[in-house]
Amino acid sequence: IDTPGHVDFSYEVSRSLAACEGSLLVVDSTQGVEAQTLANVYQALDNNHEIITVLNKSDLPASEPERVKSQIEDVIGIDTSKAILASGKTGEGVKDILGAIVESLPAPQGNINDSLKALLVDSWYDSYLGVVILVRVIDGKIKKKDQIIMMSNNTRHDVERVGIFSPKPTDIEEIGPGEIGFMVTGIKDLSDTKVGDTITSFKNPVKKPLPGFKPSKPVVFCGLFPIDSSDYGLLRDSLAKLKLNDSSIEYEPENSTALGLGFRCGFLGLLHLEIVVQRLEREYDINLITTTPGVIYKLELNDGQLVDLQNPSSMPEASLIKTFKEPWIIATIITPDEYLGSIIKICEEKRGLQKDLSYSGNRVVLKYDMPLNEVVFDFYDRLKSMTSGYASFDYEISEYKEGDLIKLSIIVNEEPVDALSTIIHKDFAQQQGRLICEKLKDLIPRHQFQIPVQAAIGGKIIARETIKGFKKDVLTKIHGGGSLDRKRKLLDKQKKGKSRMKQFGKVEIPQEAFIGVLRINK
């Protein structure tokens, strides 16, 4: 099974590994071990997998199999004496890999006469069949016209089709223990088929489900708004279509005074967010503004109430909050040692706490505890650019810790702009507030009246810029110099008009201003 290496999809990877008896550890013999490889190998070992080591790209001149073998033994601790050299380009080693699978990997265990117990590995939506479910049968068998139960939500379904991939879908009579196949039950909603769920027989159900099941939970949230407000209906339909094939997307309507109608969306991580936004823009031709990504914070209020906060605009008053907790991660970074200094510097900037540092040849394995909200902005991009793409990064969410966090509000012409408010650590608030005010001063066009742009924490203003208004010279209409009283009278009249205009005038913030401010964070 070729698994997606990114942390956002680690749960799907763990379910795929649970459906197998062994794994191929494929390592690039020119590059060595990557952070994602490390995460997936540990998951495979947790599932008691027999692991076959394969060194790929062995035909390239830059290939260094001996160095990579010793690195695998140092970093992962797996014996590489039987490692197979292979090349997808020339076909070298493919026969050896197939032979090793037959010889080394254990046969599936399972009894065809026991009650049905099957693992739901994956599911997708087909416009003709409805939801197609990929299953791995542990015990028992699945055949047409069987009645089955999904154990997570206790729903009952009739099996309409059973088949295998060879590699095209082929209908067969039944799937037995150790086999992976698909079934169609007429389910229309993908959210009814959760990855990792246990499927059992309605007539003779098993008592305990398979271990390791957990429903997918969004980790990163952001607002999606169409640049052209007439595209709102198209965005709503596009998100509904995407959810047909990806049940982990969550969205709900959101109304912003500055950006209009849009949606607040939840994603498994930053990569998942980028994929969904790109698909919306390319497949459905919608131009989008994405607000600053944020994470879920846990608040305990003075009255003992626990609140999950995902949108800064719905944060209660600071005086009502007893504790403010943020999610922390354990980050693993593997990098050539020449970039070590700059990586430690960026991790310290992001409030990281070093846990471990070890060497394998000229590569360094770093482990850091870091707050997730510091990583979601620009950490990955900065890491890749400062190491010329050589560093690899992987993380897992560890726990919620109390933090000194506050809400930074942006006020334009004495009105708060909800789309620009963010939750930020107290130490960075002043610097960030000043940056946003300076950026907005350049991007908001001048009006007939003076516009104050302020950054505030609660009722305290921490940064301010002023956009000067256009000024009309009212004294030109006075001929021959004129008396001082007459000049002062005209200037006072202008001053009153300006203050009335400021009171009733509306400041239109252009889309470029929002995009510009969001780029500061990114």
Side-chain angles (χ1 to χ4, degrees), residues 145-348:
K145 297 182 181 172
D146 274 359
Q147 287 191 323
I148 56 156
I149 289 179
M150 303 280 181
M151 290 187 81
S152 69
N153 49 16
N154 211 26
T155 53
R156 180 172 140 195
H157 306 282
D158 294 330
V159 179
E160 295 170 7
R161 279 179 71 180
V162 173
I164 54 167
F165 293 101
S166 65
K168 288 184 178 176
T170 309
D171 285 9
I172 58 170
E173 284 303 311
E174 62 180 48
I175 315 171
E179 291 184 318
I180 289 186
F182 69 86
M183 64 178 187
V184 176
T185 60
I187 297 172
K188 293 286 180 276
D189 189 354
L190 201 67
S191 56
D192 292 342
T193 56
K194 297 179 173 71
V195 171
D197 200 353
T198 305
I199 297 169
T200 188
S201 164
F202 171 68
K203 288 180 183 169
N204 188 15
V206 292
K207 299 282 188 293
K208 285 174 72 180
L210 293 161
F213 170 72
K214 57 179 184 188
S216 65
K217 274 188 181 172
V219 174
V220 174
F221 288 83
C222 81
L224 295 183
F225 296 88
I227 287 177
D228 183 353
S229 56
S230 62
D231 283 342
Y232 174 75
L234 178 60
L235 177 59
R236 184 185 56 225
D237 297 344
S238 305
L239 281 167
K241 284 176 187 172
L242 275 185
K243 194 166 170 68
L244 284 176
N245 273 320
D246 185 356
S247 59
S248 55
I249 301 171
E250 286 192 6
Y251 63 94
E252 58 183 38
E254 184 180 29
N255 190 1
S256 160
T257 47
L259 297 171
L261 293 169
F263 291 93
R264 186 85 185 161
C265 303
F267 304 95
L268 297 173
L270 270 189
L271 180 75
H272 191 216
L273 184 156
E274 279 180 36
I275 290 167
V276 171
V277 170
Q278 281 184 14
R279 284 190 67 183
L280 287 168
E281 289 180 340
R282 287 180 189 171
E283 293 176 26
Y284 302 101
D285 202 25
I286 308 171
N287 291 321
L288 292 171
I289 291 177
T290 57
T291 62
T292 311
V295 296
I296 296 183
Y297 300 93
K298 291 191 183 295
L299 310 182
E300 187 188 346
L301 305 182
N302 292 330
D303 59 4
Q305 190 183 345
L306 297 171
V307 179
D308 281 358
L309 177 73
Q310 46 167 283
N311 194 343
S313 58
S314 55
M315 180 175 158
E317 287 290 320
S319 57
L320 302 174
I321 299 169
K322 186 180 175 186
T323 58
F324 202 139
K325 291 186 177 179
E326 60 179 334
W328 279 62
I329 60 169
I330 300 168
T332 306
I333 301 165
I334 300 181
T335 175
D337 56 7
E338 63 203 84
Y339 305 113
L340 181 61
S342 50
I343 287 175
I344 289 175
K345 188 182 173 192
I346 184 180
C347 290
E348 301 288 330

Side-chain angles (χ1 to χ4, degrees), residues 424-467:
I424 193 166
H425 194 267
K426 207 171 186 177
D427 295 351
F428 308 139
Q430 196 145 0
Q431 179 192 1
Q432 187 71 4
R434 202 174 292 123
L435 276 172
I436 292 173
C437 289
E438 285 170 6
K439 194 80 175 173
L440 285 174
K441 185 188 175 187
D442 296 337
L443 292 168
I444 296 174
R446 288 172 72 186
H447 288 54
Q448 292 291 339
F449 50 91
Q450 188 173 294
I451 304 168
V453 178
Q454 298 161 312
I457 299 168
K460 184 184 173 190
I461 304 296
I462 57 165
R464 173 183 169 130
E465 293 286 337
T466 305
I467 302 168

Side-chain angles (χ1 to χ4, degrees), residues 338-439:
E338 63 203 84
Y339 305 113
L340 181 61
S342 50
I343 287 175
I344 289 175
K345 188 182 173 192
I346 184 180
C347 290
E348 301 288 330
E349 275 176 27
K350 299 286 186 185
R351 298 192 281 136
L353 305 170
Q354 193 180 114
K355 284 185 73 181
D356 189 29
L357 189 154
S358 58
Y359 278 85
S360 171
N362 67 338
R363 285 168 80 97
V364 185
V365 181
L366 275 166
K367 276 199 188 309
Y368 264 89
D369 272 346
M370 296 172 82
L372 180 61
N373 71 335
E374 298 290 345
V375 174
V376 297
F377 282 148
D378 60 350
F379 182 78
Y380 193 63
D381 292 342
R382 282 179 66 187
L383 183 73
K384 282 291 181 188
S385 62
M386 70 170 50
T387 61
S388 310
Y390 282 113
S392 60
F393 169 68
D394 191 77
Y395 68 86
E396 57 179 290
I397 292 170
S398 57
E399 59 181 329
Y400 273 81
K401 289 185 188 176
E402 227 172 290
D404 205 353
L405 299 162
I406 40 150
K407 177 183 171 185
L408 178 68
S409 306
I410 302 299
I411 303 163
V412 177
N413 198 30
E414 295 171 13
E415 280 192 23
V417 183
D418 57 345
L420 295 178
S421 60
T422 53
I423 290 168
I424 193 166
H425 194 267
K426 207 171 186 177
D427 295 351
F428 308 139
Q430 196 145 0
Q431 179 192 1
Q432 187 71 4
R434 202 174 292 123
L435 276 172
I436 292 173
C437 289
E438 285 170 6
K439 194 80 175 173

Side-chain angles (χ1 to χ4, degrees), residues 78-99:
I78 291 176
D79 177 32
T80 57
S81 57
K82 292 183 181 176
I84 300 165
L85 294 180
S87 165
K89 190 174 171 186
T90 63
E92 177 200 342
V94 174
K95 282 185 181 175
D96 297 337
I97 294 169
L98 294 171

